[in-house]
Amino acid sequence: EASIYVFVRVARLGTRFVLVLAEDRTESYRLEEVRRDFVANVSHELKTPIGAVSLLAEALEQASNEPDEVKRFAKRLSIEAERLARTTHEIIELSRLQASDVLQEAAVVDIDAVIAQAVDRNRVAAEKHGIALVSGGDAGTEVFGDAGMLVTAVHNLVANAIQYSPDNSRVGIGVSHADGVVEIAVTDQGVGIPEAERERVFERFFRVDSARSRNTGGTGLGLAIVKHVVQNHGGDVRVWSHAGSGSTFTIRLPEAVNTPAVATTLGATT
Ligand code: ADP
């Protein structure tokens, strides 16, 4: 159902000739549509938790004489507030990434350090579910980019791997490099992703099973953020999965091979 939008200008040249200028506006129409969808999604995603917070606050007020009820509502209130905070944070992050594909703080980044930080930030969640985070592979690889953004990207993959895995399973984070490409693979033994949905998981606000993800507190923005970070670095992200027996997400980035020319190449491909 692809449409082409053409902007046509007609000008008369003397009495015999007419000049017709056609300009392809498909891309700008598409971007406008994407922007409108984003705004609609954002308002929906924010209104839901805001509505819940208001209702729960009201319920709390009315239950003030029953300590057990107060406890129950307060607990749910804090869960909704946390969800609201996370969604807001991710929307801002994604907007920032979309606003510019130029890396503001680019430097040579040590991938081992990126993985160590991403793993560290997930340690508490992993321990809570008895999940082992096992990292390994080629040491000492480097890329050119923004360390903070790269930590966010790997963090999101590891957080998902934990979130969609059974207790006491294992999440692997592996690094390899070949032919000027660094590959970071995050593998889990979790629920997997049905084939029909595999490509869509990188879309903003997309959740494979919204009921399931909502229970686990998902926003549907984590992988969209990963995709943007990786694209801004001139790389790509892919997924392999068997529904029911786990997934592997792979980030590939141009390796920094101690030449400043890498910076130029990256700029050209984003
Ligand atoms: P969410 O906040 O819902 O996790 P993401 O953008 O990170 O949003 O992921 C989008 C959807 O992709 C998730 O809702 C989930 O259904 C699916 N998904 C992501 N990672 C995994 C994984 N490791 N295993 C199974 N499903 C996953």
Side-chain angles (χ1 to χ4, degrees):
E1 35 149 321
S3 328
I4 296 176
Y5 296 90
V6 187
F7 184 72
V8 184
R9 253 185 276 237
V10 184
R12 203 163 251 294
L13 294 180
T15 47
R16 294 180 56 194
F17 295 100
V18 171
L19 177 70
V20 179
L21 292 171
E23 188 187 328
D24 183 359
R25 289 268 177 108
T26 311
E27 183 60 13
S28 66
Y29 273 89
R30 198 187 61 79
L31 288 176
E32 174 56 23
E33 210 173 279
V34 167
R35 196 194 60 78
R36 260 201 318 251
D37 283 355
F38 184 55
V39 173
N41 281 332
V42 166
S43 16
H44 173 78
E45 297 294 328
L46 291 180
K47 275 179 186 161
T48 312
I50 288 172
V53 164
S54 318
L55 282 176
L56 285 164
E58 237 172 78
L60 251 181
E61 217 175 343
Q62 279 161 18
S64 55
N65 291 330
E66 297 156 68
D68 281 353
E69 291 280 275
V70 168
K71 235 186 207 158
R72 201 164 61 86
F73 288 137
K75 173 94 186 118
R76 280 178 55 198
L77 189 58
S78 91
I79 290 173
E80 289 298 337
E82 205 175 285
R83 179 179 172 76
L84 189 55
R86 191 172 48 237
T87 308
T88 313
H89 170 78
E90 291 190 347
I91 287 169
I92 293 169
E93 192 133 318
L94 188 57
S95 308
R96 260 212 335 244
L97 284 167
Q98 286 174 334
S100 156
D101 52 12
V102 180
L103 295 172
Q104 308 286 349
E105 318 238 340
V108 171
V109 178
D110 173 18
I111 290 299
D112 296 335
V114 167
I115 289 175
Q117 280 190 52
V119 165
D120 234 38
R121 282 194 209 168
N122 279 293
R123 188 128 8 232
V124 173
E127 272 167 13
K128 196 167 139 195
H129 296 282
I131 290 174
L133 300 178
V134 185
S135 53
D138 297 344
T141 56
E142 289 175 332
V143 304
F144 190 78
D146 182 318
M149 281 188 186
L150 292 169
V151 171
T152 298
V154 178
H155 165 272
N156 287 1
L157 293 184
V158 176
N160 278 348
I162 294 169
Q163 188 152 8
Y164 301 107
S165 287
D167 285 1
N168 306 315
S169 59
R170 179 195 138 106
V171 170
I173 304 110
V175 185
S176 61
H177 73 133
D179 304 325
V181 176
V182 176
E183 197 173 281
I184 305 165
V186 178
T187 301
D188 63 57
Q189 303 169 318
V191 293
I193 303 165
E195 190 174 354
E197 259 97 29
R198 229 161 274 162
E199 279 313 308
R200 299 202 60 199
V201 294
F202 297 102
E203 290 174 18
R204 293 173 310 206
F205 299 112
F206 182 81
R207 304 177 184 103
V208 169
D209 173 344
S210 51
R212 176 186 75 181
S213 294
R214 196 157 273 130
N215 284 338
T216 53
T219 60
L221 290 172
L223 289 177
I225 291 172
V226 173
K227 186 175 152 193
H228 273 87
V229 168
V230 171
Q231 279 180 350
N232 288 5
H233 283 78
D236 63 19
V237 54
R238 300 193 214 173
V239 56
W240 281 267
S241 182
H242 295 281
S245 63
S247 314
T248 296
F249 283 83
T250 308
I251 289 177
R252 297 192 313 164
L253 299 165
E255 184 169 16
V257 273
N258 59 48
T259 151
V262 174
T264 342
T265 322
L266 269 175
T269 53
T270 51

